[in-house]
Amino acid sequence: MQTSDVTVPTQVSSLQNIKIQTVACGEAHVLAIDGDGIDSRNMLWAWGQYKNGQLGLGELSMKLNPRPVQNLASSAIHKIACGSAHSLALVGDASNVTTLSPNFYAGNEILANAWGTDGVQSDRSGAV
């Protein structure tokens, strides 16, 4: 278990036996989705700084080790993204989701800020 901040890439030992399919990083927090992509339900894990509620855990303290986001425990989480002080989890059917003004982004543009299991980061347009 981690007991202090880490400033270099380090294995997250508490997730060692959990298959992680996607990771998203904010300024001082991280989200991860587990699962094998077969079952429609998966768990969202969160850790890091919590000064703006970006972990979604309902607690107001820093979490140095991953914690499951219990409010989404029975959900099908499809995508995650993190900003400097916020997080986003796309849950359920995403066919009718509009994210940003078309004045700034094309209607067919997909925003992404996550690493897939293939180790490739998607860019802003969703292309890899």
Side-chain angles (χ1 to χ4, degrees), residues 86 88 97-112 124:
H86 67 280
L88 172 89
V97 173
T98 301
T99 55
L100 298 170
S101 167
N103 296 337
F104 300 102
Y105 297 95
N108 62 351
E109 228 174 343
I110 299 170
L111 301 180
R124 193 183 71 136

Side-chain angles (χ1 to χ4, degrees), residues 7 15-18 36-37 65 72 75 82 86 88 102 106:
T7 58
L15 294 176
Q16 188 170 8
N17 295 322
I18 297 173
D36 55 14
N65 294 292
L72 300 177
S75 302
C82 295
H86 67 280
L88 172 89

Side-chain angles (χ1 to χ4, degrees), residues 16-127:
Q16 188 170 8
N17 295 322
I18 297 173
K19 182 177 171 90
I20 298 297
Q21 60 174 267
T22 305
V23 174
C25 300
E27 184 176 323
H29 71 290
V30 181
L31 296 180
I33 303 172
D34 73 8
D36 55 14
I38 297 169
D39 187 359
S40 63
R41 288 174 290 166
N42 43 27
M43 181 60 73
L44 178 63
W45 298 85
W47 67 101
Q49 202 169 63
Y50 193 95
K51 63 183 175 184
N52 295 298
Q54 60 267 47
L55 298 182
L57 299 172
E59 302 172 31
L60 298 175
S61 61
M62 181 183 296
K63 301 300 178 197
L64 297 175
N65 294 292
R67 301 282 204 286
V69 179
Q70 294 296 336
N71 287 343
L72 300 177
S74 62
S75 302
I77 303 165
H78 299 288
K79 300 251 182 196
I80 53 176
C82 295
S84 62
H86 67 280
S87 298
L88 172 89
L90 185 57
V91 178
D93 180 19
S95 61
N96 293 316
V97 173
T98 301
T99 55
L100 298 170
S101 167
N103 296 337
F104 300 102
Y105 297 95
N108 62 351
E109 228 174 343
I110 299 170
L111 301 180
N113 182 21
W115 290 88
T117 55
D118 58 1
V120 177
Q121 184 179 24
S122 297
D123 67 13
R124 193 183 71 136
S125 65

